[in-house]
Amino acid sequence: MTDPAPTTVQAPWFRRALLALLDWLLHPFLRIARITPDSERAPFDAAKPVCYVLDRHGLSNLAILDRACREAGWPRPIDPLPLVSLGRPPRAVFAIEKRRGWLLDRRRLRDRTERLERLLGAIRRDPEAEVQLIPVSIFVGRAPDRTSGWFKVLFSENWVVVGRFRRLLAILFNGRNTLIQFSPPVLVGKSAPDADDLKRAAHKLSLLLRVHFRRIRGAVIGPDLSHRRTLVDDLLRTDAVRAAIAAQAAKEKGGHLAAWRKASSYAREIAADYSHPVVRSLSFILQGFWNRIYDGVRMQHFDAFRQQAPGHEVIYVPSHRSHMDYLLLSYLLYRNGIVPPHIAAGVNLNLPLIGPILRRAGAFFLRRSFRANALYSTIFSEYVSQLVRQGVAIEYFIEGGRSRTGRLLPPRAGMLAMTVRGYLRERARPVMFQPVYIGYEKLIEGKSYLGELSGQPKVKESWWTLVRSLSVLRNRYGRVAVNFGESILLDDVLAAHAPDWRAQATGENDRPTWFAGAVDDLAHRILENVNATADVNPVALLALVILGTPKHAIGEEDLKAHLRVYLDLLRELPYHGRVTHTTMSPEEIVAYGEQMGWVRRLKHPLGDVLSAEGDPGVLLSYYRNNVTHVFAAVSWVACCLLNTRRLSRQGLGRLGRMVYPFIQTELFLRWSVDEFVQQIDAAADFLHRHGLVNIDAEGGWISRPADGGDAFFGLRVLAHSLLQTFQRYYVVIAILGKNGPGTLSAGELESLCHVTAQRMALLHELSGPEFGDRALFKSFIAMLRSQGVVSTDDAGKLSFGPELTQLGADARIILSRELRQGIVAITPEARAALAPRVSAEEKAEG
């Protein structure tokens, strides 16, 4: 990362000698990591003079900056600026603030705007001069390192203006973890102000630089937070909380004092107690933990996020598949020079000893449900608003809980709504939502997920479960991918739903008519952007092929051939530019699957067979579901041709338009309906190029290959990842059609679908524990209602018209006659078996 530097006049020999001596003394204690806007280039134009700007003056800062520039081959800060109009030119560095005095009052800072005013004046006198001001932020003891000791935490970087002795100790203990961040240059040249405006211009530029340095420091080490007790007191003094306390006092026996104590208890239960030393200490532990259980953690698309983040209130919204999610994301952010966010954590994690540590690492706790508790709800909402107002980065999972099936869960928009309300009330800084995809090759919670999907109750978090979980240290869990998606600016979402939202005054309890729609749109955009930055790892590719076979077994050569098709599909027809995928060859993927224990090799004279039996076969469906959306278009084409010999492009597009709203909602696909039809056409052409379908000379008709051949088997493998989705849809349609309109409520329909799917799984060997997932049936029924296919009558029963009949007729193209007849045959039995249970449930609810 070395670029040619502009010609400069060298500094006097005594200044170089002094700095060389200081560098020699500090050399054993310093290891510098540079961060620039572009990791491949220098942060300046090599043809123009460079002047570095520091936020605080200090000999140690100058030595660190000089060394970083020498190592990169850039202009040195101690060299004079090559400007003739300056007379005796100063060094190519200055600080906007400097300590007062040496012994007394040394922690106060004084303004140094006069240096900037002098520079602007020199540029004004030299019309051809253009100087690049490069803001430089230096953090000693910021980045974690395996060689760091625990005592070094005491001298890590913070907001306090420390004295010279403390700075020396920080370098001695933490100098090998020094981070220096170069920001994009500010070009000062031909537009330099007139003499009368120099002072005002210098003051304005100095103010802008101070704001910039404060933003960078906030992004790197976190905001300057008040003491937790002060924060809680401020929270209890807000108008909304005081009104909630008064309302609670009217119901409490102890009156206002009892209500206030309850409110104070809630606030302390919720609030984080962020501590930089604790965060830094945890980074030491986690680095060893990751090295112990993972073979690597890869982060993609982070640089684009880092450039956009300063100046924004960042809300991280990652996918949620494991308890490791928030630990990994916080660790990686800290490791790469970004402050870890405050994380919304379930109160079930507020265990003795563990809870206080998590709280000091930035966790704030919330109860699973608090809608009925007005006082708690108000305090929690006000706390979130306070974090947004202070510019504190926040992280929460809009799916609500961890996905047990590998699919993204329908969003729960409570936290989003609180964030948006807080922003509408006090628009301190623009809010940016940052979707993050976290993908695993092997989940630590895999066995517990198997138990829960088979009907066992969820194991409650406790000290005993924590101790038992230490057994994970004996195993390896492959690699992890952490991909940053396209950011979403809240202002853009609000403008799409209410162009005049800025002019609307929003009170504490106001909810504009457009509010719910904006929050719902924001939630779906976030999940679509999470899926648009997925990582297709080797385990997911193995799962797609293995689970597409009748017995979860396939010959080795056939497996490699299907893997090549998927790899070609990722390269030729990418889902999105941010989707990443494995660089392994098919042979390497097979070997890796054996090494990880996902497939077992069965020796045979006619060729080895790879099989996924028992628990691995069930768990592989989790990793297949992670990436089903990536191959949705080609899977749809394959599904349509499995049971139909010939189909026109026009017919394929019509079916796609009909079904897309449903699969878009379930898989959080990024395309519009028209774009999906275009993807279908491109997928058909891809299949034709690879010999998996036939297209006539005019290109208007698509036909499947002969039954029983390799091409037909390949088509079946590609179709399988979506096929069960359409089977699940047909279960709903068949049950509604069998029982007639005005017969079933939405709850009764969900229960009938659930037991029908369970029986189908037994009779038809359907893989994937998510096939009978109630949440997926509930989501599809809700989509039928939103699309106007079904409606609810006055008695709460579901009614429908010919639109549902048309859906059932179109299903014949996708599903085999045997499967359709099986579903229809099972439906009456399921209804009869469920009738007493449904009646009992209704009585209990009543």
Side-chain angles (χ1 to χ4, degrees):
M1 196 172 64
T2 61
D3 284 345
T7 304
T8 59
V9 181
Q10 288 197 346
W13 68 268
F14 58 86
R15 187 180 295 167
R16 287 177 168 265
L18 177 61
L19 208 60
L21 176 62
L22 182 61
D23 182 65
W24 179 76
L25 292 173
L26 296 180
H27 187 273
F29 307 100
L30 282 177
R31 181 182 296 164
I32 301 172
R34 290 188 309 274
I35 294 179
T36 60
D38 187 339
S39 59
E40 301 298 326
R41 300 173 53 194
F44 54 81
D45 182 350
K48 298 175 182 178
V50 171
C51 183
Y52 303 99
V53 185
L54 298 171
D55 58 342
R56 295 172 188 172
H57 175 79
L59 191 57
S60 61
N61 283 348
L62 179 59
I64 292 169
L65 174 59
D66 186 68
R67 179 172 169 183
C69 291
R70 282 191 292 109
E71 289 177 351
W74 298 341
R76 296 181 64 178
I78 62 170
D79 290 334
L81 272 174
L83 293 179
V84 178
S85 55
L86 276 174
R88 182 183 175 186
R91 291 173 296 179
V93 61
F94 72 89
I96 60 172
E97 292 176 328
K98 184 178 182 179
R99 296 185 187 87
R100 291 179 181 269
W102 278 84
L103 295 176
L104 301 177
D105 204 23
R106 64 184 179 276
R107 293 193 183 184
R108 290 177 57 193
L109 298 173
R110 64 182 175 90
D111 182 45
R112 306 190 78 215
T113 309
E114 69 278 1
R115 287 287 304 277
L116 190 54
E117 185 179 344
R118 184 182 169 208
L119 177 63
L120 292 178
I123 294 174
R124 184 185 62 82
R125 292 189 297 271
D126 187 353
E128 299 302 320
E130 283 187 309
V131 177
Q132 302 170 94
L133 301 183
I134 302 180
V136 180
S137 303
I138 298 174
F139 304 95
V140 177
R142 172 57 186 80
D145 188 86
R146 294 186 64 181
T147 62
S148 300
W150 290 86
F151 186 67
K152 300 178 183 180
V153 172
L154 299 176
F155 300 99
S156 56
E157 194 77 45
N158 53 48
W159 285 86
V160 178
V161 182
V162 299
R164 293 178 175 83
F165 181 67
R166 168 121 185 187
R167 186 65 166 181
L168 175 61
L169 292 178
I171 291 175
L172 294 179
F173 287 107
N174 289 321
R176 294 175 69 81
N177 295 317
T178 297
L179 184 75
I180 180 166
Q181 182 160 337
F182 295 84
S183 298
V186 178
L187 187 62
V188 181
K190 298 175 182 178
S191 59
D194 296 333
D196 296 339
D197 295 329
L198 277 179
K199 191 166 187 176
R200 186 186 308 163
H203 179 74
K204 183 178 179 181
L205 183 55
S206 176
L207 183 61
L208 290 174
L209 287 169
R210 284 191 182 91
V211 172
H212 170 80
F213 282 124
R214 187 170 183 84
R215 285 178 176 175
I216 293 296
R217 182 168 287 268
V220 172
I221 68 173
D224 190 5
L225 297 176
S226 305
H227 190 274
R228 181 166 175 260
R229 178 177 54 80
T230 307
L231 186 147
V232 169
D233 290 344
D234 291 342
L235 184 62
L236 295 176
R237 283 195 290 265
T238 60
D239 293 340
V241 172
R242 290 169 65 183
I245 290 174
Q248 184 71 23
K251 300 184 289 186
E252 289 278 343
K253 282 187 176 181
H256 186 274
L257 180 60
W260 185 89
R261 286 175 175 170
K262 180 174 285 187
S264 178
S265 173
Y266 286 160
R268 289 194 303 272
E269 174 189 315
I270 293 168
D273 190 14
Y274 192 86
S275 166
H276 295 296
V278 170
V279 170
R280 184 161 166 74
S281 301
L282 288 176
S283 73
F284 303 147
I285 300 172
L286 288 175
Q287 185 167 34
F289 182 67
W290 305 141
N291 291 336
R292 178 86 179 182
I293 66 173
Y294 293 129
D295 297 323
V297 179
R298 190 177 74 252
M299 187 165 61
Q300 301 285 343
H301 315 307
F302 178 72
D303 288 342
F305 158 72
R306 176 156 51 194
Q307 291 186 34
Q308 191 176 3
H312 291 86
E313 160 65 9
V314 180
I315 310 294
Y316 298 93
V317 276
S319 58
H320 196 20
R321 295 185 171 115
S322 170
H323 278 311
M324 298 298 105
D325 294 339
Y326 36 82
L327 296 176
L328 270 167
L329 183 56
S330 293
Y331 170 80
L332 289 171
L333 289 171
Y334 187 80
R335 177 87 179 186
N336 287 275
I338 302 291
V339 63
H342 279 42
I343 305 170
V347 74
N348 55 312
L349 295 178
N350 192 14
L351 302 171
L353 185 61
I354 296 297
I357 293 175
L358 294 177
R359 196 183 296 277
R360 285 168 176 78
F364 62 96
F365 295 98
L366 73 157
R367 300 178 180 182
R368 288 294 179 189
S369 176
F370 48 82
R371 186 172 299 176
N373 190 335
L375 180 60
Y376 184 94
S377 178
T378 301
I379 291 173
F380 188 85
S381 180
E382 284 298 306
Y383 178 73
V384 173
S385 297
Q386 196 172 58
L387 295 181
V388 173
R389 184 169 58 253
Q390 292 182 349
V392 179
I394 306 174
E395 175 189 338
Y396 47 74
F397 303 98
I398 66 171
E399 297 171 83
R402 289 170 291 152
S403 171
R404 267 64 172 181
T405 64
R407 298 172 183 265
L408 291 180
L409 301 177
R412 298 184 179 181
M415 286 293 297
L416 282 178
M418 291 181 192
T419 305
V420 175
R421 269 202 303 268
Y423 177 64
L424 290 175
R425 284 169 47 194
E426 295 190 43
R427 301 155 195 176
R429 59 169 66 188
V431 174
M432 183 179 86
F433 289 90
Q434 180 54 55
V436 182
Y437 177 93
I438 305 177
Y440 301 88
E441 293 179 348
K442 195 172 188 178
L443 278 172
I444 287 177
E445 299 94 337
K447 288 186 178 179
S448 66
Y449 285 0
L450 272 178
E452 291 175 36
L453 288 168
S454 63
Q456 298 177 13
K458 178 180 178 291
V459 178
K460 187 178 179 181
E461 286 80 3
S462 65
W463 261 101
W464 172 239
T465 58
L466 181 64
V467 172
R468 289 179 59 188
S469 67
L470 294 177
S471 62
V472 303
L473 296 174
R474 296 197 296 264
N475 301 317
R476 303 290 293 182
Y477 294 88
R479 289 179 285 267
V480 183
V482 179
N483 290 356
F484 282 70
E486 289 185 3
S487 303
I488 300 170
L489 297 179
L490 180 56
D491 287 2
D492 294 343
V493 178
L494 296 178
H497 289 266
D500 63 338
W501 68 272
R502 295 181 187 276
Q504 299 181 23
T506 307
E508 294 173 357
N509 299 313
D510 293 343
R511 297 191 68 172
T513 54
W514 48 264
F515 182 84
V519 171
D520 185 61
D521 180 29
L522 175 61
H524 281 83
R525 285 197 199 187
I526 288 170
L527 293 179
E528 287 171 13
N529 283 14
V530 168
N531 265 350
T533 188
D535 178 71
V536 185
N537 60 46
V539 176
L541 290 176
L542 276 175
L544 285 165
V545 178
I546 292 283
L547 298 183
T549 61
K551 287 191 172 184
H552 298 174
I554 186 172
E556 183 175 7
E557 295 306 315
D558 290 336
L559 174 57
K560 292 176 184 177
H562 292 306
L563 289 173
R564 288 190 189 94
V565 172
Y566 273 110
L567 290 172
D568 288 343
L569 182 57
L570 288 168
R571 287 187 287 264
E572 297 177 28
L573 200 62
Y575 177 76
H576 189 274
R578 289 183 181 242
V579 169
T580 58
H581 60 84
T582 179
T583 58
M584 291 184 181
S585 65
E587 292 75 16
E588 291 171 329
I589 292 175
V590 173
Y592 189 68
E594 288 186 84
Q595 176 190 331
M596 293 287 292
W598 287 118
V599 294
R600 185 166 63 96
R601 181 179 294 271
L602 304 175
K603 295 290 185 180
H604 193 275
L606 299 181
D608 291 354
V609 173
L610 279 304
S611 171
E613 299 175 345
D615 289 350
V618 178
L619 277 175
L620 278 176
S621 66
Y622 190 99
Y623 306 96
R624 175 198 63 192
N625 293 342
N626 287 175
V627 298
T628 297
H629 65 282
V630 175
F631 307 101
V634 75
S635 294
W636 165 249
V637 175
C639 284
C640 291
L641 291 170
L642 272 186
N643 297 289
T644 303
R645 292 191 177 277
R646 192 167 176 258
L647 197 62
S648 68
R649 282 188 187 265
Q650 185 178 1
L652 193 62
R654 182 191 67 80
L655 289 172
R657 291 179 183 276
M658 177 200 69
V659 79
Y660 184 67
F662 303 104
I663 62 174
Q664 181 187 31
T665 300
E666 181 170 326
L667 300 179
F668 300 101
L669 300 175
R670 55 180 290 267
W671 303 303
S672 65
V673 173
D674 290 338
E675 289 171 338
F676 181 63
V677 173
Q678 292 173 6
Q679 290 293 319
I680 289 174
D681 280 340
D685 293 335
F686 171 86
L687 294 173
H688 178 59
R689 288 196 303 272
H690 286 74
L692 297 173
V693 300
N694 301 315
I695 298 180
D696 65 0
E698 290 76 20
W701 287 89
I702 308 167
S703 58
R704 76 184 192 202
D707 295 355
D710 290 342
F712 181 79
F713 186 71
L715 205 64
R716 177 175 177 174
V717 169
L718 288 168
H720 194 269
S721 61
L722 266 190
L723 194 58
Q724 288 189 8
T725 297
F726 299 124
Q727 291 169 354
R728 190 169 57 250
Y729 291 171
Y730 191 71
V731 167
V732 178
I733 294 168
I735 291 176
L736 278 172
K738 191 76 174 180
N739 291 278
T743 305
L744 298 172
S745 67
E748 291 170 339
L749 179 58
E750 288 174 27
S751 298
L752 284 169
C753 292
H754 178 62
V755 295
T756 302
Q758 286 180 325
R759 186 166 178 83
M760 282 184 62
L762 294 174
L763 296 175
H764 293 274
E765 296 184 1
L766 295 171
S767 66
E770 80 281 358
F771 183 71
D773 189 353
R774 283 178 180 270
L776 294 177
F777 283 117
K778 183 177 182 179
S779 176
F780 179 62
I781 294 168
M783 273 301 299
L784 288 174
R785 295 166 75 171
S786 68
Q787 293 290 316
V789 178
V790 301
S791 59
T792 306
D793 60 21
D794 295 337
K797 304 298 183 179
L798 297 175
S799 298
F800 53 87
E803 295 86 0
L804 188 76
T805 305
Q806 182 61 46
L807 280 176
D810 288 334
R812 298 174 183 175
I813 298 175
I814 303 170
L815 304 179
S816 67
R817 178 184 299 177
E818 178 188 3
L819 191 61
R820 297 198 312 273
Q821 290 177 347
I823 292 172
V824 173
I826 290 172
T827 300
E829 299 174 23
R831 175 171 168 73
L834 193 63
R837 177 179 165 188
V838 170
S839 178
E841 288 178 353
E842 288 177 341
K843 289 180 180 179
E845 290 175 359

